[in-house]
Amino acid sequence: MEYLILAIGDVFGGTTLLWVAVGVTLGYVLGAIPGLGKAIGVAVSIPLTFYLEPVSALGLLIGIAKGSAAGSAVSAILLNTPGEPSSAPTAFDGYPLARQGKAQKALKMGLFASVIGDFVSTITLILLAAPLARYALLIGPVELCAILVFSLVFIGGLSGNSLTKGLIAACFGIFFATVGLETETFVPRLTFGYLELEDGISLVPMAIGMLAVAEMIVQAGNLDTLDRETAELRDSSDPRDRRVTREEWRRCAPVIARGTFIGAAIGILPGLGASVGSFLSYGETRRVSATPEKYGTGMIEGVAAAESADNAVVPSSLIPLFALGIPGSVIAAILIAAFILHGLTPGPLMFQQQPRMVAGLYVSMLCASAILLVIGLLGQRLFSQIVHVPLRLVIPGVLLFCCVGSYMETGSIFSIFIMLGFALIGFVARKLDFSFVTFLIGFVIGPKLELSFRQSLQLLKHDASNLLGHPIALVFLFAALVFVVMSGRSSVTRRVQMPPTTQQH
Amino acid sequence: MKRANAISGIILCVFSLVMLAFVIPGQISTGPSGMMSPRLVPQMTMIGIFGLSLLLVLGSLRGGEDDHPPPFSRKELLALLRISAVFAVAIALYEIFGALIGASSLVIFGLLALGERRPLVILTLTVVLLTGLWALFYKVLGTAIL
């Protein structure tokens, strides 16, 4: 508690609040542009934070993540093109509302639901992360190795349509994490004689390439469709369509509460992500509704359900990162790089080693929720104009920022080559449905997995039967196995049940 | 997608075998005796990729016809080529003339490659982006990019 009071002074006394506001604004703008999501925004912005105070830097990045999660509703509602996949259910009812001339109403409800979901989920993070971390300190290398294997299998199975492809992506992520000097023997691995690779492949250019550049290439291939939808957009001039009525608030309050709970719960589980949260919340709201048939035609509850869950996922997805040091989402994986860069190593020990910084981060996150509401209300009309900017004018600017961001990481053009290499891998992975989320998480936890694996081999004396002395590890390994078997069976059942024309991959 | 899965599975099988047979032994020494080999984890990941890719190929051979559109559309492949060409030109100009010309060419050729033809828009956007970058790093953040 004393650290929280000190942190309030830190955040309000310096420039931190300003940087959080900059982050939220930047995130809102990035989120409003189709194709630019929170992961891209955070990855590209990490180099900007090199010269900021740690709490300001992390506040800026978390502000971008929060702002972008809320901003993605703008393009979903106005263009029927979600800023990121998790806003797709927002478009189901948001876009019909916009077509009825009620865009401002839908945008406002989306903002309110986003802020409530985000704020409550941040409180959940604050209340749960530290107690969970105390238990995490009891975990040894064997248990940690088993938990990491389970997390990768779980994430691999849920972040794409195919467990096999997800696991291939995870293996590739771990493989690329082994590049560079090996930490125990200092033997160079897969450096091909390049000195730049001896420290390993840097996460920032890799993430920028896989997320931002690859996405820009995909967007560049679909310019005509997006530009046509932008040109057809018309604003309503009816003042009644610009506010949320008391009756609508009464109907949406339980929906927002349910969405927030679903989003926060989904965020805690590694790998499920914001898309699962928003779809689940939307589906559940529709299921319990007295008029489910009206969903998809412009129900304001649909917007509230999707947006509250979407935004509740962001803070709670940091719980496994803070408590266990395991990134449960792509945004958490990218944030690890920023946290370490600013002297905060995510994991159970950070609550003991850096309590003031953690408290500063919590206060920044709570402030970001309030700033999100203010900036959203003040700038919503302005931000909604952003979707009118043709993407062909946006993409070159994003590519320039990607290059600057990658270059700044090492001060060498080699980083740009790394970025371009992984952009190509990211493009192919997107098109062939290999989960780049699992790839990035595999890359981030790769060194930890290798270290705990080495330690486990020594502790178990290279004898698998010694695992019987580690019941927690056995439970997680068994759970991973059960998940693989169940995923395999459900995939076979899906193949048998679905006619060829509707089969999903 | 089945055809794409089969092709990508075969490519990954061959890739992992090449890595296991040639690249990993050639690029990673065995390390000191008595310690875990530095090759172990890279080899394990490649064995995993080989096995899973084989599953992918076998899975794509089962079932009915493949009536899904090809994963790569012509427009997306063209966009990939265009943006690759823009980066190639920008990096070459950066190496010859320096950062300002390299960055300007990335924006200008990027706009041209994406279909923008209005000279005023191209010029204005280039100037605004580069000035904005300079102001952000040199004035707001107080640091040099180069």
Short mmCIF file of all heavy atoms in Angstrom, two decimals, chain A residues 446-476:
data_model
loop_
_atom_site.label_atom_id
_atom_site.label_comp_id
_atom_site.label_asym_id
_atom_site.label_seq_id
_atom_site.Cartn_x
_atom_site.Cartn_y
_atom_site.Cartn_z
N GLY A 446 11.41 -19.18 -25.21
CA GLY A 446 12.43 -20.16 -25.62
C GLY A 446 13.61 -20.24 -24.65
O GLY A 446 13.93 -21.33 -24.16
N PRO A 447 14.29 -19.12 -24.34
CA PRO A 447 15.45 -19.21 -23.44
C PRO A 447 15.09 -19.75 -22.06
O PRO A 447 15.82 -20.55 -21.50
CB PRO A 447 15.91 -17.74 -23.35
CG PRO A 447 15.39 -17.09 -24.59
CD PRO A 447 14.11 -17.78 -24.88
N LYS A 448 13.92 -19.33 -21.55
CA LYS A 448 13.49 -19.81 -20.23
C LYS A 448 13.19 -21.32 -20.29
O LYS A 448 13.52 -22.07 -19.37
CB LYS A 448 12.23 -19.04 -19.80
CG LYS A 448 11.88 -19.22 -18.36
CD LYS A 448 10.67 -18.40 -17.99
CE LYS A 448 11.03 -17.04 -17.45
NZ LYS A 448 9.91 -16.28 -16.93
N LEU A 449 12.57 -21.74 -21.38
CA LEU A 449 12.25 -23.16 -21.56
C LEU A 449 13.54 -23.99 -21.64
O LEU A 449 13.65 -25.04 -21.01
CB LEU A 449 11.41 -23.34 -22.84
CG LEU A 449 10.91 -24.74 -23.15
CD1 LEU A 449 9.95 -25.22 -22.08
CD2 LEU A 449 10.20 -24.77 -24.49
N GLU A 450 14.52 -23.49 -22.39
CA GLU A 450 15.77 -24.23 -22.54
C GLU A 450 16.50 -24.35 -21.19
O GLU A 450 16.99 -25.41 -20.82
CB GLU A 450 16.68 -23.55 -23.57
CG GLU A 450 17.93 -24.38 -23.83
CD GLU A 450 18.80 -23.85 -24.96
OE1 GLU A 450 18.51 -22.77 -25.49
OE2 GLU A 450 19.78 -24.52 -25.29
N LEU A 451 16.53 -23.22 -20.46
CA LEU A 451 17.22 -23.22 -19.17
C LEU A 451 16.54 -24.18 -18.19
O LEU A 451 17.21 -25.00 -17.54
CB LEU A 451 17.23 -21.79 -18.59
CG LEU A 451 17.92 -21.64 -17.24
CD1 LEU A 451 19.42 -21.90 -17.37
CD2 LEU A 451 17.69 -20.24 -16.67
N SER A 452 15.20 -24.10 -18.11
CA SER A 452 14.50 -24.98 -17.16
C SER A 452 14.61 -26.44 -17.60
O SER A 452 14.65 -27.34 -16.77
CB SER A 452 13.04 -24.56 -17.01
OG SER A 452 12.38 -24.66 -18.23
N PHE A 453 14.70 -26.66 -18.91
CA PHE A 453 14.86 -28.02 -19.43
C PHE A 453 16.22 -28.60 -19.02
O PHE A 453 16.33 -29.74 -18.56
CB PHE A 453 14.72 -27.99 -20.96
CG PHE A 453 14.91 -29.33 -21.62
CD1 PHE A 453 14.05 -30.38 -21.36
CD2 PHE A 453 15.97 -29.54 -22.50
CE1 PHE A 453 14.23 -31.61 -21.98
CE2 PHE A 453 16.15 -30.76 -23.11
CZ PHE A 453 15.28 -31.80 -22.85
N ARG A 454 17.27 -27.76 -19.17
CA ARG A 454 18.63 -28.18 -18.73
C ARG A 454 18.63 -28.52 -17.24
O ARG A 454 19.13 -29.56 -16.83
CB ARG A 454 19.60 -27.01 -18.91
CG ARG A 454 20.08 -26.80 -20.28
CD ARG A 454 20.85 -25.46 -20.32
NE ARG A 454 21.23 -25.15 -21.67
CZ ARG A 454 22.24 -25.73 -22.30
NH1 ARG A 454 22.97 -26.60 -21.67
NH2 ARG A 454 22.52 -25.43 -23.56
N GLN A 455 18.07 -27.60 -16.47
CA GLN A 455 18.05 -27.80 -15.01
C GLN A 455 17.25 -29.05 -14.66
O GLN A 455 17.63 -29.81 -13.76
CB GLN A 455 17.48 -26.57 -14.31
CG GLN A 455 18.39 -25.36 -14.43
CD GLN A 455 17.71 -24.08 -13.98
OE1 GLN A 455 16.49 -23.95 -14.02
NE2 GLN A 455 18.52 -23.10 -13.57
N SER A 456 16.14 -29.26 -15.39
CA SER A 456 15.29 -30.43 -15.11
C SER A 456 16.05 -31.72 -15.38
O SER A 456 15.97 -32.68 -14.60
CB SER A 456 14.03 -30.40 -15.98
OG SER A 456 13.33 -29.23 -15.74
N LEU A 457 16.80 -31.73 -16.50
CA LEU A 457 17.56 -32.94 -16.82
C LEU A 457 18.54 -33.28 -15.70
O LEU A 457 18.71 -34.45 -15.33
CB LEU A 457 18.34 -32.73 -18.14
CG LEU A 457 17.55 -32.83 -19.44
CD1 LEU A 457 18.46 -32.61 -20.64
CD2 LEU A 457 16.88 -34.19 -19.56
N GLN A 458 19.18 -32.23 -15.16
CA GLN A 458 20.14 -32.46 -14.07
C GLN A 458 19.42 -32.91 -12.79
O GLN A 458 19.85 -33.85 -12.12
CB GLN A 458 20.96 -31.20 -13.81
CG GLN A 458 21.98 -30.96 -14.91
CD GLN A 458 22.59 -29.58 -14.86
OE1 GLN A 458 22.16 -28.73 -14.09
NE2 GLN A 458 23.58 -29.35 -15.72
N LEU A 459 18.30 -32.24 -12.49
CA LEU A 459 17.56 -32.58 -11.27
C LEU A 459 16.99 -34.00 -11.34
O LEU A 459 16.95 -34.72 -10.34
CB LEU A 459 16.42 -31.59 -11.04
CG LEU A 459 16.83 -30.22 -10.48
CD1 LEU A 459 15.66 -29.25 -10.56
CD2 LEU A 459 17.28 -30.34 -9.03
N LEU A 460 16.54 -34.37 -12.52
CA LEU A 460 15.93 -35.71 -12.69
C LEU A 460 16.98 -36.77 -12.99
O LEU A 460 16.64 -37.94 -13.22
CB LEU A 460 14.89 -35.67 -13.83
CG LEU A 460 13.70 -34.72 -13.64
CD1 LEU A 460 12.85 -34.66 -14.91
CD2 LEU A 460 12.85 -35.17 -12.48
N LYS A 461 18.23 -36.36 -13.04
CA LYS A 461 19.36 -37.28 -13.30
C LYS A 461 19.14 -38.05 -14.62
O LYS A 461 19.44 -39.26 -14.68
CB LYS A 461 19.55 -38.22 -12.12
CG LYS A 461 19.90 -37.50 -10.82
CD LYS A 461 20.20 -38.49 -9.71
CE LYS A 461 20.65 -37.78 -8.45
NZ LYS A 461 19.67 -36.93 -7.81
N HIS A 462 18.60 -37.38 -15.60
CA HIS A 462 18.37 -37.96 -16.94
C HIS A 462 17.50 -39.22 -16.88
O HIS A 462 17.63 -40.09 -17.73
CB HIS A 462 19.71 -38.26 -17.64
CG HIS A 462 20.54 -37.03 -17.87
ND1 HIS A 462 20.55 -36.36 -19.07
CD2 HIS A 462 21.36 -36.35 -17.05
CE1 HIS A 462 21.36 -35.31 -18.98
NE2 HIS A 462 21.87 -35.28 -17.76
N ASP A 463 16.64 -39.30 -15.88
CA ASP A 463 15.77 -40.47 -15.74
C ASP A 463 14.31 -39.99 -15.62
O ASP A 463 13.94 -39.34 -14.64
CB ASP A 463 16.17 -41.25 -14.47
CG ASP A 463 15.37 -42.55 -14.31
OD1 ASP A 463 14.43 -42.77 -15.12
OD2 ASP A 463 15.66 -43.31 -13.38
N ALA A 464 13.51 -40.32 -16.64
CA ALA A 464 12.13 -39.83 -16.68
C ALA A 464 11.30 -40.33 -15.50
O ALA A 464 10.34 -39.66 -15.08
CB ALA A 464 11.47 -40.25 -17.99
N SER A 465 11.66 -41.48 -14.95
CA SER A 465 10.86 -42.01 -13.83
C SER A 465 10.95 -41.10 -12.59
O SER A 465 10.07 -41.15 -11.73
CB SER A 465 11.30 -43.44 -13.49
OG SER A 465 12.62 -43.41 -12.98
N ASN A 466 11.99 -40.29 -12.52
CA ASN A 466 12.11 -39.37 -11.39
C ASN A 466 11.05 -38.26 -11.44
O ASN A 466 10.87 -37.53 -10.47
CB ASN A 466 13.51 -38.73 -11.36
CG ASN A 466 14.57 -39.73 -10.93
OD1 ASN A 466 14.26 -40.69 -10.22
ND2 ASN A 466 15.79 -39.55 -11.37
N LEU A 467 10.35 -38.18 -12.57
CA LEU A 467 9.24 -37.20 -12.68
C LEU A 467 8.14 -37.49 -11.67
O LEU A 467 7.36 -36.60 -11.29
CB LEU A 467 8.64 -37.25 -14.08
CG LEU A 467 9.06 -36.18 -15.09
CD1 LEU A 467 8.44 -36.47 -16.43
CD2 LEU A 467 8.69 -34.79 -14.62
N LEU A 468 8.07 -38.75 -11.24
CA LEU A 468 7.04 -39.14 -10.27
C LEU A 468 7.17 -38.35 -8.96
O LEU A 468 6.19 -38.18 -8.23
CB LEU A 468 7.13 -40.64 -9.96
CG LEU A 468 6.76 -41.56 -11.15
CD1 LEU A 468 7.09 -43.01 -10.83
CD2 LEU A 468 5.28 -41.41 -11.48
N GLY A 469 8.34 -37.83 -8.71
CA GLY A 469 8.55 -37.00 -7.51
C GLY A 469 8.13 -35.56 -7.71
O GLY A 469 8.32 -34.72 -6.82
N HIS A 470 7.59 -35.23 -8.89
CA HIS A 470 7.17 -33.86 -9.20
C HIS A 470 5.73 -33.88 -9.70
O HIS A 470 5.47 -33.77 -10.90
CB HIS A 470 8.09 -33.24 -10.25
CG HIS A 470 9.50 -33.13 -9.81
ND1 HIS A 470 10.03 -32.02 -9.19
CD2 HIS A 470 10.52 -34.03 -9.87
CE1 HIS A 470 11.30 -32.23 -8.89
NE2 HIS A 470 11.63 -33.43 -9.31
N PRO A 471 4.77 -34.04 -8.77
CA PRO A 471 3.36 -34.21 -9.20
C PRO A 471 2.81 -33.02 -9.98
O PRO A 471 2.01 -33.21 -10.91
CB PRO A 471 2.61 -34.42 -7.88
CG PRO A 471 3.53 -33.95 -6.80
CD PRO A 471 4.91 -34.12 -7.30
N ILE A 472 3.23 -31.80 -9.61
CA ILE A 472 2.70 -30.62 -10.33
C ILE A 472 3.12 -30.69 -11.80
O ILE A 472 2.32 -30.46 -12.71
CB ILE A 472 3.18 -29.31 -9.68
CG1 ILE A 472 2.64 -29.21 -8.25
CG2 ILE A 472 2.74 -28.09 -10.50
CD1 ILE A 472 3.15 -28.00 -7.47
N ALA A 473 4.39 -31.04 -12.02
CA ALA A 473 4.89 -31.15 -13.40
C ALA A 473 4.12 -32.23 -14.15
O ALA A 473 3.73 -32.04 -15.31
CB ALA A 473 6.38 -31.47 -13.38
N LEU A 474 3.87 -33.34 -13.47
CA LEU A 474 3.12 -34.43 -14.11
C LEU A 474 1.72 -33.99 -14.51
O LEU A 474 1.24 -34.32 -15.59
CB LEU A 474 3.03 -35.62 -13.15
CG LEU A 474 4.23 -36.57 -13.15
CD1 LEU A 474 4.02 -37.68 -12.13
CD2 LEU A 474 4.44 -37.18 -14.53
N VAL A 475 1.07 -33.22 -13.63
CA VAL A 475 -0.29 -32.73 -13.92
C VAL A 475 -0.27 -31.87 -15.19
O VAL A 475 -1.10 -32.06 -16.10
CB VAL A 475 -0.85 -31.92 -12.72
CG1 VAL A 475 -2.10 -31.14 -13.12
CG2 VAL A 475 -1.17 -32.85 -11.57
N PHE A 476 0.70 -30.97 -15.30
CA PHE A 476 0.74 -30.09 -16.47
C PHE A 476 1.09 -30.86 -17.74
O PHE A 476 0.52 -30.59 -18.80
CB PHE A 476 1.72 -28.93 -16.23
CG PHE A 476 1.10 -27.80 -15.46
CD1 PHE A 476 1.33 -27.67 -14.10
CD2 PHE A 476 0.27 -26.89 -16.08
CE1 PHE A 476 0.74 -26.64 -13.37
CE2 PHE A 476 -0.32 -25.86 -15.37
CZ PHE A 476 -0.08 -25.73 -14.02
#
